[in-house]
């Protein structure tokens, strides 16, 4: 089987909309607004490892950022039904992420990959890690025996994940990334120069001052707020668990090509 063809920008946008990675996504409007409200009300589960203080205590401010950076509807009266991710914003964020990855390759940086969405994004991270390793980067190997949130933190195909009961776990928690960074410090090993992740894995790394690129769905506003404040380098808007993980392959091919890593 040959390499994945590199889609053009317009081809990728068409693909994102067709597979509902962007465009009319599966996450309903009422779920988005519920999460924005809970973040604004200080529910730290929705802060994804970031320290937002009282800076985003108005859910309308959160919605405004999400409309600008993710492409959800900015209509305050739209309370239920369909919501959207702007595929143009997705591709623009992939282009920004590609610049970060290209710089990492040029400087042969230490890079750590992690996902709280192993059913959707694990192979996106795995392929990116493989490309950076081939370019001379050091893909960080996490310490052994790490535990967090009643599970084990380990690495699968170069990507850190949370495991419970022999199952890779979907998690928004920052605690697994905190366990990795604290474990590296205990062993006297250098921290990553760059983290590429999602959910609380990305938020925790950014909050600790590590350059971070994150993928985030339209109901996970914290990483977009982190990018707006400069805590994260890039946040890529997308539906982070569509019906087939293979649907992300053209997106990954586009990203690696844009970064000069294909």
């Amino acid at each position: 089987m040959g390499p994945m063809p590199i889609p053009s920008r317009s081809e990728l946008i068409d693909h994102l909309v067709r597979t509902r990675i962007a465009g009319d996504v599966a996450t309903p409007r009422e779920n988005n607004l519920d999460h924005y409200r809970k973040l604004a009300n200080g529910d730290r589960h929705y802060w994804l490892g970031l320290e937002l203080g009282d800076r985003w205590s108005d859910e309308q401010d959160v919605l405004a950022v999400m409309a600008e950076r993710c492409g959800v509807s900015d209509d305050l009266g739209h309370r239920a039904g369909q919501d959207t991710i702007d595929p143009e914003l997705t591709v623009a964020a992939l282009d920004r992420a590609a610049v970060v990855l290209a710089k990492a390759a040029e400087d042969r940086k230490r890079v750590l990959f992690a996902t709280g969405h192993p059913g959707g994004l694990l192979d996106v991270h795995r392929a990116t890690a493989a490309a950076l390793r081939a370019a001379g980067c050091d893909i960080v190997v996490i310490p052994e025996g790490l535990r967090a949130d009643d599970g084990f933190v380990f690495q699968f195909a170069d990507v850190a994940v949370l495991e419970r009961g022999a199952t890779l776990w979907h998690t928004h928690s920052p605690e697994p990334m905190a366990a990795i960074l604290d474990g590296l410090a205990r062993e006297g090993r250098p921290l990553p120069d760059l983290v590429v992740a999602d959910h609380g894995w990305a938020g925790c790394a950014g909050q600790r001052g590590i350059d971070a690129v994150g993928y985030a769905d339209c109901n996970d506003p914290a990483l977009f707020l982190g990018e707006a404040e400069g805590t994260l380098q890039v946040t890529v808007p997308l539906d982070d668990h569509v019906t087939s993980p293979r649907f992300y392959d053209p997106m990954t091919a586009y990203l690696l090509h844009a970064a000069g890593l294909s």
Side-chain angles (χ1 to χ4, degrees), residues 7 60 141 192 257:
Q60 293 187 16
V141 176
H257 179 72

Side-chain angles (χ1 to χ4, degrees), residues 12 25 28 31 43 181 250:
L12 179 59
V25 293
N31 183 258
D43 187 333
L181 300 179

Side-chain angles (χ1 to χ4, degrees), residues 31-32 35-36 39 46 48 66 117 170 172 199 215-225 235 240:
N31 183 258
N32 285 343
H35 287 199
Y36 304 169
L39 178 147
Y46 296 93
L48 302 183
M66 293 303 292
H117 245 302
H170 171 217
H172 288 70
H199 288 175
Y215 295 91
D217 209 328
C218 54
N219 64 352
D220 291 328
L223 297 190
F224 295 98
L225 303 181
T235 298
D240 51 18

Side-chain angles (χ1 to χ4, degrees), residues 36 40 56-66 76 79:
Y36 304 169
W56 299 99
S57 58
D58 186 336
E59 67 183 274
Q60 293 187 16
D61 291 340
V62 179
L63 175 61
V65 170
M66 293 303 292
L76 295 174
R79 309 301 299 178

Side-chain angles (χ1 to χ4, degrees), residues 247-262:
F247 288 164
Y248 297 105
D249 290 352
M251 182 193 80
T252 307
Y254 177 93
L255 171 67
L256 298 182
H257 179 72
L261 296 171
S262 23

Side-chain angles (χ1 to χ4, degrees), residues 17 42 53 75 129 170 191 199:
V17 172
D75 180 3
H170 171 217
L191 296 180
H199 288 175

Side-chain angles (χ1 to χ4, degrees), residues 80-95:
Q82 183 65 57
D83 213 341
T84 57
I85 292 174
D86 185 342
E88 294 277 359
L89 293 178
T90 302
V91 178
L94 290 169
D95 289 337

